[in-house]
Amino acid sequence: MRDAVTTGAGRLELADWRRQTTELYAAIRAANEPDVTWRQFVAVRDEMFAGHPQSPLTAEQRATFRHLPYYPYNPAFRTVGQIDPNLEADEAAIDLLHDGLLRLIRVGIVSFRLLGHAASLSLFWIEGYGGGLFLPFKDLTNRKETFGGGRYLYDTIKGADIGVQGQEILLDFNFVYNPSCAYNAQWYCPLAPEENALNISIAAGEKRFENQ
């Protein structure tokens, strides 16, 4: 994470970034037309990346930034998963270098069907004050059309929450996005573990970022 976040002004800016993200995802959960809301999601993220002081992009990148690259919205990549929480708690720690250790607890296995395939992903809880759900994944598009380290679908600490009700979780892969470290080397972020590597191509959501 960049040094600017560690200042008082940087923390206030980060709080504003998270507020805007939370409001964006609240609109997603309330929407009846996912494709229309997806277009709003794309537009708002472009605005934030271009102009917000907590944008993951450097000043040099923002100077030439036009838009983030996405696959077109495809309803085939929208499904509902079932969470099985009946597993023994298993804690893992990821070293984020300057940001210290990020502690994760596996809280459930999400089972779902997509493109005719049965699949599953581990759902994690980020330890720390308040905590939050975290769902990263990899797929067969990584290192080709999408970021090699995988992408995120849920990170509720940061406001990224498209809908969990009881043991059902909405999986709309059109809304998946890159971790901050996909944009430049100033960021350190947790990447998807191998257990969350899907053996299918998720040709939906955000693509690999190329400096523009």
Side-chain angles (χ1 to χ4, degrees):
M1 188 173 292
R2 295 176 297 186
D3 292 340
V5 180
T6 65
T7 67
R11 290 190 175 99
L12 291 174
E13 292 164 357
L14 180 58
D16 181 70
W17 175 278
R18 292 184 178 179
R19 177 188 59 77
Q20 291 189 45
T21 302
T22 298
E23 291 174 352
L24 178 58
Y25 276 84
I28 293 171
R29 293 193 299 274
N32 295 320
E33 298 178 281
D35 58 331
V36 174
T37 308
W38 174 81
R39 289 194 289 272
Q40 178 187 1
F41 170 80
V42 169
V44 171
R45 292 194 78 228
D46 280 348
E47 291 177 2
M48 293 173 68
F49 270 65
H52 198 284
Q54 283 300 317
S55 168
L57 304 182
T58 64
E60 292 76 16
Q61 287 174 310
R62 291 199 300 273
T64 58
F65 176 75
R66 296 190 303 275
H67 59 82
L68 297 172
Y70 289 87
Y71 293 97
Y73 188 91
N74 186 342
F77 287 98
R78 181 181 174 93
T79 188
V80 174
Q82 300 295 322
I83 305 172
D84 180 4
N86 299 312
L87 72 168
E88 187 173 338
D90 184 13
E91 182 174 315
I94 299 174
D95 189 355
L96 298 181
L97 300 180
H98 300 300
D99 289 341
L101 291 178
L102 177 70
R103 299 192 180 279
L104 302 174
I105 294 179
R106 189 182 295 101
V107 295
I109 301 297
V110 179
S111 298
F112 58 98
R113 292 193 64 83
L114 194 71
L115 305 177
H117 298 273
S120 64
L121 293 168
S122 292
L123 180 64
F124 298 94
W125 181 263
I126 300 176
E127 285 286 84
Y129 182 76
L133 294 174
F134 181 50
L135 186 56
F137 71 95
K138 297 179 181 178
D139 70 277
L140 297 183
T141 67
N142 297 162
R143 297 187 178 90
K144 300 172 186 175
E145 297 178 320
T146 63
F147 177 56
R151 295 175 288 171
Y152 296 169
L153 185 53
Y154 278 80
D155 184 356
T156 63
I157 285 182
K158 305 288 181 59
D161 178 0
I162 59 176
V164 181
Q165 292 188 339
Q167 293 182 17
E168 288 191 343
I169 181 169
L170 177 60
L171 305 173
D172 191 334
F173 289 93
N174 294 283
F175 291 94
V176 300
Y177 62 97
N178 291 331
S180 296
C181 54
Y183 305 107
N184 60 69
Q186 297 188 38
W187 296 92
Y188 303 95
C189 46
L191 301 179
E194 286 305 315
E195 67 191 85
N196 275 17
L198 297 173
N199 195 32
I200 55 177
S201 293
I202 304 296
E206 190 175 352
K207 294 183 177 181
R208 184 175 59 195
F209 180 78
E210 304 287 355
N211 285 337
Q212 302 172 54

